[in-house]
Amino acid sequence: DNESNPHVAIAAVDRYQAAICFDAAARMVRRSPALGRKLEVLDSRKRIIAAAVDGRLEALSADAEQKEGLNLSFAVFDEKHA
């Protein structure tokens, strides 16, 4: 939607669950030549970067130290009930 600096979060109860969701997104990028031209996967940081729009998708977990103050464009919650 042409938003500048979009920030998408994959949120889960713990790092393991967040990593499962992130890995699925990373596989989509790697399997699509069109996405691969626009996005960079940073596995070690559980982050996908869209440099052209200064955007990012990142995996967050409830056991992460800093989650407050985020200005999210979109969020995916895994097991919100947990």
Side-chain angles (χ1 to χ4, degrees):
D1 67 357
N2 295 322
E3 176 182 359
S4 64
N5 195 28
H7 185 187
V8 176
I10 297 174
V13 173
D14 58 33
R15 288 180 215 174
Y16 179 76
Q17 284 299 123
I20 290 172
C21 295
F22 172 83
D23 291 343
R27 274 193 307 277
M28 289 181 216
V29 172
R30 290 189 178 103
R31 290 180 179 174
S32 168
L35 290 176
R37 286 189 292 274
K38 295 182 178 195
L39 304 172
E40 177 185 4
V41 177
L42 304 174
D43 287 299
S44 64
R45 299 184 70 191
K46 297 296 183 214
R47 190 175 281 189
I48 298 174
I49 303 296
V53 294
D54 193 27
R56 67 193 180 281
L57 174 147
E58 62 185 326
L60 302 174
S61 62
D63 55 6
E65 292 182 20
Q66 187 175 19
K67 294 174 292 298
E68 296 180 11
L70 299 176
N71 183 17
L72 299 176
S73 305
F74 184 78
V76 177
F77 294 95
D78 180 52
E79 299 185 22
K80 182 177 179 280
H81 66 276

